[in-house]
Amino acid sequence: MNYRTSIAALMFASLVSASALAQEATPKPQTNERPMAQANEPVTDAWITTKVKADLLATDGVAGTDINVDTQNGVVTLRGTVKSQAEADRAAEIARGIEGVTRVDSQLSTSTATGTRQP
């Protein structure tokens, strides 16, 4: 009897574990809404960096792949080379619009037609 009880307990534990793993592996439905920090969750520097980078990549006219984003204590630093001052200004504007950003330090430089950089 003890042997059967042990096997039944082991089978039950396996089923519970498999169910939990299946729930974690189930993909979340895709929506068109942008992810936002929950009201009861603190906004972290990592979250800010990820959100700024994602918004830069999603914005037409901004070369998000050419812009490096770092965040420390809510201060976002943008580095890289963009095509124009208007693009640099737009990138900074996007960063300022993210929840939790206290300041944006844009260190973006612009490239000219001759291929040289300007700070």
Side-chain angles (χ1 to χ4, degrees):
M1 188 76 152
N2 193 6
Y3 177 72
R4 288 183 187 210
T5 304
S6 296
I7 290 180
L10 182 61
M11 289 177 62
F12 177 76
S14 296
L15 287 173
V16 170
S17 295
S19 175
L21 288 174
Q23 287 179 350
E24 289 177 11
T26 304
K28 305 276 189 246
Q30 295 291 327
T31 66
N32 290 333
E33 295 179 8
R34 294 182 185 184
M36 295 181 66
Q38 298 296 323
N40 59 350
E41 294 179 11
V43 175
T44 65
D45 287 344
W47 184 89
I48 292 170
T49 298
T50 302
K51 182 69 171 133
V52 170
K53 189 67 174 179
D55 283 12
L56 291 174
L57 290 168
T59 302
D60 290 335
V62 175
T65 56
D66 296 334
I67 300 172
N68 177 277
V69 180
D70 292 308
T71 307
Q72 188 168 12
N73 298 322
V75 177
V76 174
T77 302
L78 304 175
R79 292 183 184 93
T81 303
V82 293
K83 294 178 184 171
S84 67
Q85 187 59 48
E87 184 178 355
D89 293 344
R90 180 69 178 127
E93 178 184 336
I94 290 167
R96 278 188 209 95
I98 302 301
E99 178 185 352
V101 173
T102 58
R103 186 169 56 90
V104 175
D105 179 15
S106 179
Q107 298 178 9
L108 295 170
S109 59
T110 56
S111 60
T112 63
T114 61
T116 59
R117 293 184 187 177
Q118 297 178 348

